Every structure is written in C-alpha cells, then in structure tokens.
Amino acid sequence: MNWPKEITAGGKRLECRRLGPQPGEAPTVVLLHEGLGAMALWRDFPERLAAATGWGVFVYSRAGYGQSEAADLPRPLDYMTREATEVLPEVLETIGFERGVLMGHSDGATIAAEYAGSVEDFRVRGLILEAPHFFTETMGLAEIARAREVFATGDFKAKMAKYHDDPEATFRGWNDAWLDPKFKSWHVGEVIDYWRVPCLAIQGAQDQYGTLAQIREIEERSYAPVETLVLDDCRHAPHADQAEAVLAACAEFLARLERIEAAEPDAA
C-alpha cells in the first residue's frame, strides 16, 4: 500500500513516513523527534527498528521542523504539553493507530511521557524514552545557551538547513522557549504518576543536556514497570551514538510486551 507522505494534524501539514506492517497486521512504534530533530534526522534508525522488531514504524516531523508546515512563533512555554494533548491524539487517529508504543527522544520523549500521563488511550501499551526531560537543570540550560552562541557564529545554521525548511525559525522556536527566564521553573514530572504502561528509559552517561536525575524521576514516580539503560560513551542521542545497544534493548522490550499481551486472556 502507498502511504501518504504527509498528514494534517493540529491544523498543520506534517511530513511523515510509515515503514513495515500496517496497523491491522502488527503493532506500531510512533517515533517522536528531539527539539532540533526532524523525520530525516532519525537517519536509518526507523528502517532498522522495523527490521529488528517486525513492528510497523511511523515517523513524522512536528510543525516547524523538517519539511513540515511552519509553526506559530513564539512557541508557548508549555509547547510540549500542547503537542502531547492537542496534536498527537490527532496524529494517532489520522494514521489509524490501533496498538503500539510511543518512542520519543528528548523533547519527543517528554511529549510521549505527557501523552501517557494525560490522555486515556488503551492503544498505547508502552513507552520508550530516550534522554527524556521532566524539569530543567542548570547544566542543560547552559548547554542550550552555548547552542545559541554556536548558531549565531558558526556553521550550525547551514548544517540545519540540510534538514529544515527554515532553520532560523526551527532553532528559535526551541531555543527561545528553553532560555526564557520563566522556563526555569518548568516541571512536568507529575505526569509519570499517571502512567499505567511499562517504560524503557534510555540515557547516555555523557548526556550534555540532562543528568540521570531525569531517569531517577521516572524510577521514583512510576507505578508501572520501568527498565533503565544507561550507556557509556554516549551523549544526548543514544540511537545514534549507541545504535546497536538501543536497537537490541528496544527489540527485547517490545518482544516482552507482546509475550505479556499474548498471555493475557482479555488482551485486545
């Protein structure tokens, strides 16, 4: 079947790709990118994930990223919450999502976490969160401030232009929100209290944007099962820095979810 290369959600046109089995044939992993990410910046990870698991994989660029329609700027400081509660439900409905897992990286991990803790959706059976953030940290904000300097003085903008229609707007939408003085008090850890699905949390030991306090927040607050994977020689993008380890952990986690569901007599 030829899947559309774009959908409309949140009133915006969003570029997208679907790989592997259709929703009625197998569960689906929905990939949610980072704060400066896009569909293309997952590189070959979606294909490798589909091959390793036998699941379908859906990946898209949020508004303001990649080749998707521009976002409205400035972004509100609760932009991740709005993505989780206003846009993502429409995305899942539009693609015919029936059963599966949300896998997010950085901002995308926060969006997935907020969806699981804010929206009642029994189709979502688990979470895979890479480098999630639930509150600000001084070291992370300092790195984001350094990113602003690099963007203004180096070739970062030119590199971003390879993947984003408007790299200036993409960068400002993310950077300006995080460096707004009011954002220092941002904290959404309470959403974890409402999870009722298992979570695999992955973080690089050398993550430059967040410490393992973000992972401890999950471990201390979740009533549902939590598995953690902390990877050495790994910074903020585990699926890029330690692809083999991340793929193996994801495949094992998803296979275990399928075994658990197969053993439940009332599994959907």
Side-chain angles (χ1 to χ4, degrees), residues 9-151:
K12 301 288 185 179
R13 176 190 52 77
L14 309 178
E15 65 170 347
C16 64
R17 290 181 65 200
R18 193 197 298 265
L19 302 98
Q22 300 178 35
E25 300 171 345
T28 303
V29 180
V30 176
L31 295 179
L32 301 158
H33 63 73
E34 63 177 313
L36 290 181
M39 183 178 74
L41 282 164
W42 285 101
R43 304 190 190 280
D44 67 346
F45 185 79
E47 288 88 348
R48 298 184 69 189
L49 183 62
T53 63
W55 287 37
V57 175
F58 178 80
V59 56
Y60 71 105
S61 296
R62 297 190 295 276
Y65 295 96
Q67 313 305 310
S68 291
E69 190 173 344
D72 299 324
L73 298 181
R75 289 189 183 276
L77 300 190
D78 63 346
Y79 71 92
M80 286 176 276
T81 299
R82 296 190 188 201
E83 283 285 344
T85 60
E86 298 174 10
V87 182
L88 185 52
E90 191 173 350
V91 169
L92 297 181
E93 195 64 30
T94 299
I95 67 173
F97 183 76
E98 294 187 12
R99 177 170 60 96
V101 163
L102 304 179
M103 179 174 180
H105 172 218
S106 193
D107 273 19
T110 304
I111 292 167
E114 291 206 66
Y115 185 91
S118 305
V119 179
E120 186 176 70
D121 187 348
F122 297 110
R123 299 172 300 177
V124 175
R125 307 303 176 88
L127 298 170
I128 301 176
L129 306 181
E130 283 192 295
H133 35 246
F134 300 97
F135 47 87
T136 59
E137 296 182 87
T138 300
M139 53 84 73
L141 293 176
E143 190 69 23
I144 292 170
R146 279 192 289 272
R148 175 177 285 182
E149 296 177 9
V150 172
F151 186 83

